Amino acid sequence: MYKLNLITLKITATFLLLIIVQKIQAQQWLGISGSNYAGTNSVYNNPANITDSRYKLYVNLFANDIFIANNYVGYDAPYSMLKLFTNSAAQEYRNSKNVIIFKNAYYDINLDSKSYHLNAQNDLRGPSFLYTINNKRSIGLLSRVRTIVNFTDAPITLANLVRLGTDTLFLKNQDFTVSNSALNINSYAELGISYGQILKDEDEDFIKIGITLKRVVGIYNAHINIKEADYDIIDDPAEPKKQILRIDKLKAEYGYTTEASVNNTKPSFPWIFGNQSAGGGWGVDLGIVYEYRPEVRKYRYREKGKEKLDPSKNKYEFKVGVSLLDIGGINYNNPFYVRNWDVDIQNKEFKSEDVSQVQGTDDAFKRINQVVGLNDDQSIHNFTTGLPTVFQVNFDYHVRDKFYVNSLWVQGLRGNNSLSMKMPSSLSITPRWESKWLEVGIPFALLDNYSSFTFGIGARLGPLFFGTDNLGSFLNINSPKGTDLYFGLSVPIFNRPPSLPNACFYEKSEKKRWKFWKRRK
């Protein structure tokens, strides 16, 4: 599961070649992550959620999320992305070989932004478990592989060049400038241990805290931070149908790990905790949750002379969770795999033969280095990339019976031009209906740094869950500029209710329920 596939490697090489030579958040699983039955998937949002869950044991077999968003190009084809992905477009949109036709006219280009960006992620959550030790403490073990792509602060000229290439009339014979634009592609594995504990359980007030300590291991990285660049495009005098990219000036930090860092990836102790990987580091998640429980008495029961709370039921009218996630970073320092340079060059030319028929990322970087004039002796075999640190606030309100409304605020804390991974900020509200074996949530969200309004759906059918935070992308609504899809399979073992049907006792309180503007007296 830790291997990057050939498609990922080709995409990585393509991104780097486009940014240098030609000059592109999990998102949050909104439909299910706020659920009381999300198991380990709620721990990623707040480690305090591991405690007082509805599970005695929850085992995640696998789960995956694919997310992409940008503010440059939208999808405006006469058939939906769903029909494109499933190869089910109508015959009128196919050629003589029955292949779906995709035209340049199907791109909806945004020309109104000051700068352009791309954020993409693949979040693979591997075997993990949550275990309730007793009515106060829980533990968990989490495994995960994430691939994150961030391309930030690109001017319109660079975005046009990425999409159209060098053989474009209005991009030729002009002087272009790029500054403070960055690309960071990072794939890493993490192994975490979570612990949660109840701090306060006094009638209507309930507080729990949690922490996840994570070992993070670098699988692959490629990055460039362009501080300043001047370039132009001209026709090649020797081959008029081809072009030359002339770099008049380039100041940048540029680096990568070799293909061997991917090929030698293996889930072993020396690779995870030793020096066999390209690099490693540590991360931590912190969280706290407060619950207001005005009718907690009706969940109390006696068993063998002791008073207990029914662990199979939700007891709150509302709860608020605050968390700080992905604090830490990865230090890439293995000299066999790691290359990094401070680039300061002038008057370099990239011709078509320099980038044609590239065979993998190592070959791509070799060609780039030859033209730029870089070699391994000049390389600094060390760089650090930060984890995608975010601050989150979650509010969940129990409307009545099985109906809830959840809201989530996610604020990314990494700067656009840092060498750190970045998660875009978002704000969402998700009505949901949940029960022990069935659940449906419908999120409405401002994603991609609050710039894109989306709606989605998430569902849980026993051990299976699936959903999307951007359903409009599959239905071809409003020229979507991204898409999202998640799914997973688990083994749920629920906490048992009281053994006697009338074990719970309840004395109805004469006090009124909580009012948002005034606490009951």
Side-chain angles (χ1 to χ4, degrees):
M1 66 187 240
Y2 297 99
K3 295 286 185 181
L4 287 179
N5 58 35
L6 182 59
I7 293 177
T8 303
L9 289 174
K10 287 183 177 179
I11 291 174
T12 301
T14 301
F15 279 142
L16 282 170
L17 287 173
L18 286 173
I19 191 73
I20 298 172
V21 181
Q22 296 187 10
K23 326 221 102 77
I24 206 193
Q25 166 220 271
Q27 175 87 356
Q28 305 298 333
W29 314 51
L30 296 175
I32 60 102
S33 62
S35 167
N36 294 290
Y37 295 94
T40 55
N41 295 297
S42 67
V43 180
Y44 291 105
N45 272 16
N46 190 322
N49 288 333
I50 198 171
T51 306
D52 189 50
S53 79
R54 305 288 71 82
Y55 297 105
K56 179 64 178 180
L57 175 67
Y58 180 93
V59 180
N60 179 73
L61 299 178
F62 71 88
N64 197 81
D65 175 52
I66 301 171
F67 168 85
I68 184 168
N70 81 105
N71 68 336
Y72 172 64
V73 58
Y75 181 89
D76 195 23
Y79 46 83
S80 68
M81 283 190 189
L82 181 62
K83 290 186 177 181
L84 178 64
F85 294 156
T86 58
N87 195 30
S88 58
Q91 191 62 43
E92 61 182 304
Y93 304 118
R94 298 174 181 270
N95 60 21
S96 58
K97 296 182 180 180
N98 205 36
V99 176
I100 297 175
I101 301 170
F102 192 90
K103 302 177 181 179
N104 285 332
Y106 297 164
Y107 292 117
D108 180 23
I109 307 302
N110 170 28
L111 301 176
D112 298 328
S113 292
K114 293 181 180 179
S115 64
Y116 296 88
H117 64 262
L118 167 79
N119 293 302
Q121 179 179 217
N122 186 81
D123 185 358
L124 173 63
R125 299 175 181 180
S128 307
F129 76 87
L130 172 162
Y131 178 71
T132 300
I133 300 173
N134 52 39
N135 60 353
K136 289 186 177 294
R137 299 175 180 85
S138 299
I139 60 170
L141 185 66
L142 310 175
S143 67
R144 190 183 198 184
V145 176
R146 301 173 81 180
T147 299
I148 298 175
V149 179
N150 302 118
F151 185 25
T152 56
D153 288 344
I156 183 63
T157 54
L158 180 56
N160 284 335
L161 193 54
V162 170
R163 182 174 70 92
L164 300 172
T166 58
D167 191 15
T168 305
L169 184 61
F170 70 86
L171 294 177
K172 295 179 182 179
N173 302 311
Q174 297 186 57
D175 295 327
F176 297 112
T177 298
V178 179
S179 61
N180 298 319
S181 182
L183 170 71
N184 188 20
I185 302 170
N186 205 96
S187 184
Y188 70 97
E190 69 179 46
L191 183 66
I193 183 168
S194 298
Y195 174 78
Q197 179 173 322
I198 296 173
L199 282 187
K200 183 178 181 179
D201 187 3
E202 298 178 2
D203 292 328
E204 52 190 47
D205 295 320
F206 175 89
I207 299 174
K208 58 184 179 179
I209 59 172
I211 182 172
T212 300
L213 179 64
K214 303 184 286 190
R215 173 62 178 175
V216 289
V217 187
I219 298 175
Y220 186 82
N221 178 281
H223 65 271
I224 181 169
N225 188 342
I226 301 176
K227 301 171 185 177
E228 185 179 1
D230 295 328
Y231 69 93
D232 65 338
I233 301 167
I234 62 172
D235 288 324
D236 189 340
E239 299 183 74
K241 293 185 178 181
K242 297 182 179 180
Q243 296 77 44
I244 296 176
L245 173 64
R246 299 192 305 191
I247 297 179
D248 301 316
K249 177 174 61 176
L250 174 62
K251 293 183 179 180
E253 181 182 359
Y254 153 67
Y256 58 89
T257 57
T258 64
E259 290 181 16
S261 67
V262 178
N263 298 332
N264 295 331
T265 294
K266 49 189 174 183
S268 64
F269 188 90
W271 185 80
I272 297 173
F273 296 101
N275 57 6
Q276 292 187 2
S277 65
W282 297 90
V284 65
D285 298 342
L286 303 171
I288 184 170
V289 172
Y290 168 79
E291 296 185 6
Y292 175 63
R293 300 175 165 186
E295 297 182 347
V296 70
R297 294 178 182 85
K298 72 179 183 180
Y299 302 102
R300 297 190 187 278
Y301 69 99
R302 292 189 180 277
E303 184 178 87
K304 297 180 180 180
K306 294 183 178 180
E307 186 177 290
K308 298 181 179 180
L309 286 175
D310 184 352
S312 67
K313 301 293 185 182
N314 303 323
K315 307 164 188 68
Y316 61 88
E317 181 177 321
F318 71 82
K319 64 179 178 180
V320 181
V322 178
S323 56
L324 190 59
L325 308 176
D326 288 315
I327 307 166
I330 302 172
N331 182 23
Y332 287 90
N333 58 3
N334 189 324
F336 295 104
Y337 304 141
V338 177
R339 308 287 184 268
N340 196 59
W341 294 269
D342 285 325
V343 179
D344 188 352
I345 60 171
Q346 294 179 343
N347 302 322
K348 300 293 182 179
E349 292 186 349
F350 284 90
K351 299 181 179 180
S352 58
E353 60 263 27
D354 295 325
V355 295
S356 62
Q357 299 181 341
V358 172
Q359 302 294 320
T361 56
D362 281 358
D363 183 38
F365 292 128
K366 180 181 177 181
R367 296 178 184 220
I368 292 169
N369 294 345
Q370 285 176 345
V371 175
V372 175
L374 302 176
N375 57 62
D376 289 352
D377 294 336
Q378 300 169 313
S379 171
I380 303 169
H381 301 287
N382 188 302
F383 62 86
T384 299
T385 181
L387 298 179
T389 309
V390 297
F391 174 75
Q392 291 194 174
V393 179
N394 182 280
F395 179 83
D396 199 54
Y397 182 69
H398 185 189
V399 180
R400 59 178 298 174
D401 300 328
K402 294 179 173 63
F403 289 94
Y404 297 78
V405 176
N406 182 269
S407 63
L408 178 65
W409 173 42
V410 180
Q411 178 61 50
L413 299 181
R414 296 292 190 179
N416 276 355
N417 303 117
S418 69
L419 191 53
S420 302
M421 291 169 272
K422 291 164 274 290
M423 288 298 294
S425 302
S426 63
L427 182 65
S428 64
I429 183 168
T430 305
R432 74 179 188 279
W433 181 93
E434 71 171 36
S435 68
K436 190 173 182 179
W437 292 103
L438 297 174
E439 181 172 354
V440 176
I442 303 176
F444 300 87
L446 289 173
L447 301 180
D448 198 26
N449 295 318
Y450 317 119
S451 66
S452 176
F453 176 76
T454 67
F455 67 96
I457 188 168
R460 178 174 53 85
L461 307 173
L464 174 68
F465 67 86
F466 53 89
T468 175
D469 296 340
N470 192 349
L471 185 59
S473 66
F474 294 99
L475 302 178
N476 217 21
I477 297 176
N478 198 27
S479 298
K481 291 183 173 62
T483 191
D484 170 69
L485 179 67
Y486 58 84
F487 54 89
L489 185 65
S490 67
V491 178
I493 300 176
F494 299 94
N495 277 311
R496 293 182 178 180
S499 55
L500 299 176
N502 298 320
C504 293
F505 61 92
Y506 174 49
E507 296 178 3
K508 186 175 181 180
S509 173
E510 296 179 356
K511 300 177 182 179
K512 296 181 180 179
R513 289 167 64 87
W514 176 283
K515 302 294 184 183
F516 289 111
W517 60 90
K518 181 174 75 172
R519 183 160 180 161
R520 61 195 182 90
K521 299 180 179 179

